[in-house]
Amino acid sequence: MEQTDEVASLSKKAQKKAERLSKKMAAASLSTAATAGGDLAEDALAANYGDVPLLELQSKAITGRKWKKVSELDASLNGQSVLLRGRCHTTRGKGKIAFLILREAGHTVQCVFQVEDNVVSKGLIKYINSLSKESIIDVEGTVDIPSAPINGTTQQVELKGRKVYCVSKARPVLPFNLEDASRSEKDFQKAEQEDLQYVRVNQDTRLNNRVLDLRTSANQAVFRIQSYVSMFFRQFLVSRGFVEIHTPKLIAGASEGGAAVFSLDYYGQPACLAQSPQLHKQMAICADLGRVFEIGPVFRAENSFTHRHLCEFTGLDLEMEIKEHYFEVLDILDELFVFVFDGLHQHCSKELEAINEQYPFEPLKYLKKTLRLTFEEGLQLLKDDGIELDPFGDLDTASERRLGTLVKEKYGLCVTCVVNVVSCLRVVQILFVTFGRYNTDFYILHRYPLAVRPFYTMPCFDNPQYSNSFDVFIRGSTLSKMSSKLSLSLTSVKGVEERKFYVCILFLQCLAGEEIISGAQRVHDPELLTSRAEACGINVKSLSTYIDSFRWGAVPHGGVGVGLERVVMLYCALNNIRKASMFPRDPTRLAP
């Protein structure tokens, strides 16, 4: 009963809050109407401003008018009359002059309106001051080059305005101001020094009102960068003879194994959302398509609340026939991402600058021929340095405690699950020297332990404990990002020695970068594939059509899976993958 009363009380509070907000908005609307109404009836130039009737926006007529983009405004248009459409970013004015900042897709221009006989009336000035932020408006005027540089706009020309029409009104009261949502950490630090108060818009508020949040210049740039990444991905692969395919996202069994799968009922049959297009892109290779790729949604039921995990993301996948060695896949991958990074550098300078304004980052360093390392090579580096270590060696309790203390002192974090890996820290230290010598933020680590790879991964010919697999990493990380990854990953690895070795691998991953790509040569032999699936606890019956496709003759092949959002996040050094997902899905978010 008490719980019911509490819920009712909360409901009443929410209702009262909504009523107060509604009254506030109504009052603001009345104020706007009164201000705009002013001298409208007696203004001879009233036709130069006002709200466009909805009837006129219902595809009533084709007038032949041409709208310019705000981004196109420059000195070459000086003296020309233009028509613009955008959002009312800000307005200010008094008496006979008004300034309006018009924004379109992250680009802004200053529009100046000054009372002038038979051109601009006082009624137009009042109307401009009545416009609510984020309203869609049409502005007509003449491009002018100001005598001094304009601060706070992307375009270094201004518009001498003479007409303004509101196409769509925004509510007078918004969930947050875009100026607040666009500030950088540097802005907040400066405000604190100057004893100013800025509103900080938190992540949940942004995501709850994502449409508004996406209008910031940085976010506009992020998703244009994302568009370019997928475009360059497609462009490169098509030029190399790859065929774009589209595979089903409703499948009978888990494509990656494990419990991280969204299960559902499919007309009385058990089904799930595809964890990747893995099975079907391999089947496409068995169908003699040779080289295939796909850009599409991927679903992972991972109850993870980290900065880099999502339950749904966009996968960039490719699969290809192998003639001799899985390095053929790495060669394509190497060229592909150099092509993508070069393309972003050449075509996205303005977008990268806009992101850098709010989220400062260092340009990505990468080699034209990507660095490749194996874990065994890391051990060899140690040997060359005069240090013989057993990566599986045990530690006594005193050493374990001392290691925890040293880690906490140096990195500000006590990682309790790094026990028995002091030798690994030395491996990482030597590898850092190697990365520094090559001066790269982008590298490949290959020959992973078979135990930590999916069931369809091909074992190494010379040691079945390893696999013909690889991960690609970008931008170094720190120990502060490691503990959750270590604890989550180790739960799936059995055996003390295997766990110690896997921790070594994870140290290399976490300290030398974050994974954006995972790939391997695939098992194309149906008997080995069946035994590997059974060993991984996968129901082989649910994969019968997949395994059968290899019984009719299958070429050796391999491929990769890339997370689009993770590529963008790490290329731009964003601190959270949700910034690179338009409408992110994590364990707590299903809307908007």
Side-chain angles (χ1 to χ4, degrees):
M1 186 65 181
E2 289 180 5
Q3 188 176 2
T4 305
D5 292 341
E6 186 178 344
V7 171
S9 175
L10 286 172
S11 179
K12 287 178 182 177
K13 286 180 181 178
Q15 189 175 356
K16 287 180 179 178
K17 186 176 179 182
E19 287 173 357
R20 285 197 300 271
L21 182 60
S22 180
K23 288 178 181 178
K24 189 176 179 181
M25 288 179 175
S29 296
L30 286 172
S31 174
T32 297
T35 305
D39 304 320
L40 185 62
E42 53 200 57
D43 188 352
L45 298 175
N48 288 351
Y49 59 93
D51 298 347
V52 180
L54 181 59
L55 184 67
E56 299 296 322
L57 300 169
Q58 292 179 264
S59 301
K60 182 180 177 182
I62 299 174
T63 65
R65 291 177 297 168
K66 301 294 183 183
W67 278 261
K68 275 281 183 186
K69 290 184 177 180
V70 171
S71 61
E72 295 173 342
L73 299 181
D74 58 26
S76 68
L77 298 174
N78 186 35
Q80 293 188 28
S81 179
V82 296
L83 175 62
L84 307 172
R85 177 170 290 178
R87 292 189 180 276
C88 177
H89 188 63
T90 60
T91 61
R92 61 185 176 88
K94 191 175 183 181
K96 296 183 177 183
I97 191 167
F99 296 89
L100 183 154
I101 303 297
L102 186 73
R103 190 186 77 249
E104 181 191 26
H107 300 277
T108 52
V109 65
Q110 178 172 269
C111 306
V112 183
F113 297 83
Q114 193 160 8
V115 173
E116 183 180 344
D117 290 344
N118 300 318
V119 180
V120 175
S121 66
K122 286 185 178 179
L124 192 152
I125 301 298
K126 287 183 179 180
Y127 181 75
I128 289 171
N129 289 328
S130 74
L131 291 170
S132 54
K133 290 182 178 181
E134 297 305 298
S135 292
I136 304 292
I137 57 175
D138 280 346
V139 179
E140 187 178 311
T142 304
V143 178
D144 184 57
I145 302 175
S147 56
I150 303 173
N151 295 322
T153 62
T154 61
Q155 309 310 115
Q156 285 305 298
V157 294
E158 65 183 17
L159 197 73
K160 290 200 170 189
R162 55 181 179 270
K163 295 182 181 180
V164 179
Y165 302 101
C166 184
V167 175
S168 175
K169 284 184 177 179
R171 283 184 171 183
V173 180
L174 299 171
F176 54 81
N177 288 324
L178 249 67
E179 295 95 323
D180 294 327
S182 301
R183 291 194 173 99
S184 67
E185 198 58 40
K186 188 178 179 180
D187 293 331
F188 285 106
Q189 291 171 0
K190 185 179 179 182
E192 190 175 338
Q193 292 169 0
E194 296 175 359
D195 202 26
L196 298 174
Q197 290 288 328
Y198 281 161
V199 175
R200 189 183 290 271
V201 185
N202 66 39
Q203 181 172 275
D204 280 341
T205 301
R206 289 175 181 272
L207 295 181
N208 289 340
N209 305 278
R210 188 60 161 159
V211 170
L212 189 60
D213 182 46
L214 289 172
R215 296 176 188 172
T216 67
S217 296
N219 281 334
Q220 289 285 311
V222 164
F223 292 101
R224 280 169 170 75
I225 292 283
Q226 188 182 95
S227 175
Y228 270 104
V229 170
S230 58
M231 182 185 74
F232 291 140
F233 181 84
R234 177 181 282 111
Q235 185 179 335
F236 175 86
L237 292 177
V238 168
S239 73
R240 294 298 190 276
F242 282 76
V243 178
E244 184 168 9
I245 61 173
H246 306 282
T247 62
K249 305 309 165 197
L250 283 170
I251 59 177
S255 51
E256 298 292 326
V261 59
F262 289 106
S263 300
L264 54 94
D265 177 80
Y266 188 73
Y267 298 105
Q269 302 177 61
C272 61
L273 295 177
Q275 296 166 293
S276 78
Q278 184 59 47
L279 309 186
H280 290 92
K281 64 179 182 175
Q282 283 187 257
M283 292 166 77
I285 298 299
C286 293
D288 293 345
L289 286 177
R291 292 182 164 191
V292 299
F293 75 95
E294 178 173 9
I295 301 175
V298 172
F299 303 91
R300 300 285 171 90
E302 294 178 335
N303 197 21
S304 300
F305 298 88
T306 72
H307 73 288
R308 64 193 196 95
H309 283 98
L310 290 172
C311 293
E312 179 184 351
F313 61 89
T314 302
L316 308 175
D317 281 83
L318 67 88
E319 202 77 14
M320 58 181 278
E321 179 182 341
I322 292 173
K323 298 298 185 185
E324 288 185 324
H325 200 285
Y326 74 97
F327 273 21
E328 294 165 37
V329 181
L330 288 181
D331 292 339
I332 284 287
L333 191 62
D334 190 349
E335 291 182 57
L336 166 61
F337 273 87
V338 169
F339 180 82
V340 170
F341 297 152
D342 283 348
L344 293 177
H345 178 72
Q346 293 166 12
H347 298 282
C348 302
S349 57
K350 288 184 179 179
E351 287 80 3
L352 293 170
E353 184 180 339
I355 296 169
N356 210 11
E357 280 289 317
Q358 186 167 3
Y359 307 112
F361 66 95
E362 292 294 324
L364 184 77
K365 296 177 181 178
Y366 58 96
L367 304 173
K368 294 299 181 180
K369 187 67 177 176
T370 304
L371 175 65
R372 300 178 189 180
L373 291 172
T374 66
F375 187 75
E376 297 100 312
E377 286 171 334
L379 295 180
Q380 186 61 48
L381 287 171
L382 277 174
K383 186 175 181 181
D384 294 342
D385 198 52
I387 302 171
E388 294 277 0
L389 287 175
D390 176 9
F392 307 112
D394 209 346
L395 296 176
D396 57 28
T397 304
S399 297
E400 293 171 2
R401 289 175 179 169
R402 180 56 183 159
L403 175 60
T405 302
L406 290 172
V407 169
K408 188 174 182 180
E409 287 175 356
K410 187 169 184 179
Y411 299 100
L413 175 73
C414 183
V415 184
T416 57
C417 55
V418 299
V419 177
N420 302 321
V421 292
V422 71
S423 59
C424 175
L425 290 173
R426 183 59 179 152
V427 173
V428 172
Q429 182 182 351
I430 300 297
L431 283 176
F432 270 158
V433 173
T434 301
F435 297 147
R437 184 169 73 242
Y438 284 101
N439 195 28
T440 181
D441 291 324
F442 187 73
Y443 79 101
I444 298 169
L445 193 66
H446 62 101
R447 278 182 66 99
Y448 272 73
L450 186 64
V452 298
R453 304 303 284 197
F455 73 95
Y456 48 75
T457 306
M458 181 68 81
C460 286
F461 77 97
D462 57 341
N463 188 341
Q465 289 186 322
Y466 289 87
S467 62
N468 295 342
S469 63
F470 52 87
D471 281 351
V472 182
F473 298 88
I474 184 171
R475 293 196 189 273
S477 186
T478 64
L479 279 175
S480 62
K481 297 178 182 177
M482 291 181 60
S483 57
S484 61
K485 180 172 182 178
L486 284 166
S487 58
L488 283 171
S489 302
L490 287 174
T491 57
S492 62
V493 182
K494 298 177 181 179
V496 176
E497 297 304 316
E498 289 84 353
R499 287 168 68 89
K500 292 177 189 176
F501 184 80
Y502 192 35
V503 169
C504 292
I505 292 288
L506 285 170
F507 259 92
L508 298 184
Q509 291 180 356
C510 292
L511 287 171
E514 292 202 44
E515 173 206 331
I516 59 166
I517 302 166
S518 185
Q521 180 180 357
R522 320 301 189 185
V523 175
H524 63 277
D525 179 82
E527 306 311 320
L528 177 57
L529 192 60
T530 301
S531 64
R532 285 282 299 134
E534 290 173 343
C536 292
I538 295 172
N539 180 6
V540 178
K541 288 183 179 179
S542 68
L543 302 175
S544 59
T545 55
Y546 163 68
I547 295 175
D548 283 346
S549 65
F550 297 98
R551 300 189 191 282
W552 305 325
V555 294
H557 59 281
V560 305
V562 185
L564 175 60
E565 291 85 353
R566 199 173 286 186
V567 171
V568 174
M569 175 186 79
L570 292 167
Y571 183 86
C572 299
L574 301 173
N575 63 2
N576 196 300
I577 198 165
R578 291 158 185 81
K579 286 185 170 74
S581 175
M582 186 167 283
F583 298 102
R585 293 291 177 260
D586 60 29
T588 63
R589 183 165 294 279
L590 196 56

